[in-house]
Amino acid sequence: MRKKVVIVIAIMLVSLMVFAGCGNISEGKDYTIPLIDLENKPEGLDPKYDYLFDNRTIVDPDNKTDYLAHPDSILIKDANGELNTIMTMFPEGHGKGNVKVRVSKDKGATYNLPSDVKVPASWAKSQETPTVYRLIFNKDNIPSNDDKLLMVSGNPSWPGDASYKKNGFNASVSSDEGKTWTEFETFYGRDYFGWWESYKVFDAIVAMSSVTRLKDAETHEWKNEWMGLFHDRSWNCYKTILTFDSEGKMQWSYPEKYFNNEDNKYRDIQMRSNMCEVEVIRSEGGEGNELCLITRSNSKKINSLISFSSDEGKTWSEPKETPAALSGERHKAEWVKDGDNWRLFITFRSIERSLDKIAKYAPELKSTGWMSEGWVAWVGDWNDLKEGTEGDYRVKLAHTYLGDENAPVRSANADTGYCGNVVFADGTIVTSSYGRFGEWDSKANRYVNSEKTYILSKTVNLKDLDAVVEYFKSK
């Protein structure tokens, strides 16, 4: 009898280890690469870098509400056909809310809504954070007159909201560089199926967290197919493939799980992580044959997870934890040309799990096991992703005030980090996020704490950020 009890206990312990993800569990650590805090300009720095610290643009300065959130951005063509104009979208509210559009023709210095941009009436009832993408049909993957713009917004069942439970996800398309859009078309929601097929309905959250143009896995030629990712409340991660028929009508394949299926049995780590809001990056400046995904670990018990695919997303490597430097939520990645090489600029909401760090900067948060540095960016390259190294440095882009803070400090409000990022041909990066960035106090000559949440745009350049890092190293 005693032997049976021992065996049962051993089996239970093994089961718990498997559910926990075994080697994927780790104690929180701090990163060791440099951090540039753009709220604190160092003395003696060359004035040509002042813009990094001083310049900030409010994307919707005439906003009368107290809460705007979750922007996404895309470059659209100007009158000369060049990708020199920013289009940014964001909801009036946390996730759901009327979707507003603002356009910048001066690289993020100012934003407005041009008279020739018409927003569909259905966007007023958006139920999720909008995401926007350029769909390129050219066989060389070069923008052309055949491009379409895609905007997607999920329809999750919000707690306590019985008025608009359509489920599935909405999608709109523009064929004229964002001047006009189709009204929302809903896929895989309650109206998509008959009542007897209600089990097929998807509670799509952050749809689509990423949209990736696919290649033929054998020939590596570009296909007119795009893989979109989203998740549900049970932490199932789904992919759906977008195509267009001969008349240009959208067709999304029936969503399928890509991390807990016959090819990828990673349900244990998926649940331990509460995996969601996945970003996908294609190798070699976006032209290569390998895909990398980075996840949000909503449980905050482990770091973000990273996985790779060499067959266009059919199968994925076992998810591994990222270094602390890249751990966070809602990653948005852009490639930036650096001479003959490519580097990555990835924004996200910082999640710091080092207990020593929490004790130093936010002891009141010790019981939660995590704190945030707010809206940050990571700079590194593909090898850092592959080899699990920390990267070059991090950037705190603007302080988001937490509680009663009266000045920018290390610990920040985590209600930020969903970003719209664009990169111009000259290497200029414009990144936009939401948060409690404060209001200008003319007497104090600085921004001060405020409950108001709005959309802020920051302009940076990797060469200038590199120079600032070297300046700090020299001190």
Side-chain angles (χ1 to χ4, degrees):
M1 181 67 178
R2 183 178 180 183
K3 185 176 180 181
K4 289 183 179 180
V5 171
V6 171
I7 292 173
V8 170
I9 292 174
I11 292 173
M12 290 175 65
L13 287 173
V14 170
S15 299
L16 286 172
M17 289 174 65
V18 170
F19 180 77
C22 296
N24 289 300
I25 302 174
S26 68
E27 294 182 6
K29 298 180 180 179
D30 196 4
Y31 57 86
T32 63
I33 56 176
L35 170 69
I36 305 172
D37 185 350
L38 297 187
E39 290 282 8
N40 293 290
K41 182 168 58 178
E43 294 183 3
L45 184 68
D46 191 317
K48 69 180 181 181
Y49 303 122
D50 285 354
Y51 81 94
L52 293 169
F53 301 86
D54 298 339
N55 294 1
R56 53 161 65 189
T57 301
I58 299 176
V59 174
D60 190 16
D62 299 323
N63 169 52
K64 304 302 182 185
T65 63
D66 289 332
Y67 194 96
L68 298 177
H70 308 109
D72 199 5
S73 302
I74 193 171
L75 284 179
I76 58 176
K77 297 174 184 175
D78 59 18
N80 297 319
E82 302 294 329
L83 292 172
N84 282 329
T85 300
I86 305 171
M87 175 172 280
T88 297
M89 302 176 181
F90 48 93
E92 288 184 306
H94 190 93
K96 65 178 179 177
N98 175 49
V99 174
K100 304 181 77 171
V101 176
R102 294 295 179 265
V103 171
S104 174
K105 297 182 179 181
D106 51 14
K107 291 188 174 181
T110 60
Y111 288 81
N112 59 26
L113 179 61
S115 59
D116 60 347
V117 174
K118 308 299 180 184
V119 178
S122 53
W123 288 15
K125 294 184 177 180
S126 174
Q127 292 293 291
E128 252 274 86
T129 165
T131 58
V132 58
Y133 301 94
R134 175 174 293 275
L135 306 180
I136 300 175
F137 292 79
N138 186 289
K139 64 182 180 64
D140 297 317
N141 205 39
I142 299 173
S144 71
N145 292 332
D146 295 326
D147 293 357
K148 296 180 186 295
L149 305 183
L150 170 73
M151 189 275 234
V152 186
S153 171
N155 282 321
S157 297
W158 288 88
D161 181 8
S163 62
Y164 198 73
K165 289 187 176 180
K166 296 185 69 173
N167 293 123
F169 57 88
N170 299 318
S172 291
V173 172
S174 173
S175 299
D176 57 8
E177 293 298 313
K179 291 183 175 61
T180 60
W181 297 78
T182 60
E183 294 288 351
F184 272 154
E185 183 176 356
T186 304
F187 295 86
Y188 303 112
R190 295 176 185 273
D191 297 336
Y192 197 85
F193 302 101
W195 63 265
W196 61 92
E197 298 177 303
S198 59
Y199 65 93
K200 292 184 178 181
V201 172
F202 288 89
D203 192 27
I205 303 173
V206 189
M208 301 297 171
S209 62
S210 68
V211 169
T212 305
R213 190 180 185 187
L214 297 177
K215 291 184 174 185
D216 184 292
E218 300 288 335
T219 66
H220 303 307
E221 294 181 350
W222 290 106
K223 298 163 61 175
N224 291 336
E225 297 182 4
W226 293 263
M227 178 176 66
L229 305 184
F230 67 90
H231 69 279
D232 65 15
R233 295 187 188 281
S234 298
W235 315 112
N236 292 298
C237 293
Y238 295 93
K239 70 176 181 180
T240 171
I241 308 301
L242 169 64
T243 57
F244 292 83
D245 65 17
S246 58
E247 297 180 354
K249 184 177 177 58
M250 280 185 291
Q251 297 177 319
W252 293 88
S253 67
Y254 188 76
E256 58 182 289
K257 298 172 184 176
Y258 61 88
F259 257 153
N260 49 314
N261 56 27
E262 61 181 11
D263 295 315
N264 305 279
K265 301 183 185 300
Y266 304 136
R267 185 59 173 165
D268 53 348
I269 188 65
Q270 197 176 25
M271 288 298 294
R272 177 66 178 172
S273 164
N274 287 356
M275 183 187 297
C276 60
E277 298 180 14
V278 175
E279 169 71 315
V280 173
I281 309 166
R282 185 176 287 279
S283 62
E284 298 177 30
E287 298 292 321
N289 300 324
E290 188 172 21
L291 301 178
C292 167
L293 64 75
I294 306 177
T295 78
R296 167 177 177 168
S297 289
N298 199 60
S299 71
K300 299 176 178 60
K301 294 179 181 178
I302 61 176
N303 287 354
S304 294
L305 299 170
I306 192 166
S307 177
F308 295 87
S309 174
S310 56
D311 57 11
E312 296 299 305
K314 179 181 178 182
T315 61
W316 294 90
S317 64
E318 181 182 359
K320 303 292 185 181
E321 284 189 77
T322 65
L326 196 53
S327 185
E329 298 178 342
R330 193 61 181 111
H331 299 77
K332 292 284 284 186
E334 296 292 339
W335 284 104
V336 183
K337 190 71 171 177
D338 183 15
D340 295 330
N341 301 315
W342 288 96
R343 297 168 76 189
L344 282 161
F345 179 86
I346 304 179
T347 55
F348 52 96
R349 169 191 296 162
S350 151
I351 299 296
E352 309 300 315
R353 298 177 51 250
S354 165
L355 296 182
D356 290 341
K357 187 173 193 174
I358 296 169
K360 182 177 180 179
Y361 295 111
E364 71 279 6
L365 299 177
K366 183 179 180 180
S367 62
T368 69
W370 66 278
M371 59 165 267
S372 180
E373 292 182 348
W375 176 25
V376 302
W378 174 92
V379 177
D381 61 28
W382 185 261
N383 287 335
D384 292 316
L385 301 182
K386 288 289 290 184
E387 297 171 11
T389 46
E390 286 193 290
D392 298 335
Y393 52 84
R394 295 207 341 176
V395 184
K396 183 171 178 177
L397 293 153
H399 186 64
T400 47
Y401 287 89
L402 177 65
D404 296 326
E405 292 174 350
N406 56 20
V409 292
R410 195 68 172 267
S411 177
N413 195 319
D415 193 16
T416 186
Y418 285 60
C419 298
N421 301 330
V422 297
V423 181
F424 290 88
D426 65 359
T428 298
I429 303 167
V430 178
T431 177
S432 302
S433 190
Y434 76 104
R436 282 175 50 182
F437 299 113
E439 295 184 0
W440 182 255
D441 186 323
S442 57
K443 293 182 179 179
N445 198 35
R446 63 177 176 84
Y447 286 89
V448 298
N449 199 347
S450 167
E451 293 289 335
K452 187 168 183 174
T453 298
Y454 55 90
I455 313 297
L456 187 67
S457 179
K458 292 282 291 185
T459 300
V460 299
N461 182 290
L462 292 192
K463 291 182 178 179
D464 293 342
L465 291 174
D466 291 346
V468 174
V469 170
E470 291 303 315
Y471 175 82
F472 278 111
K473 288 181 178 179
S474 67
K475 296 301 178 181

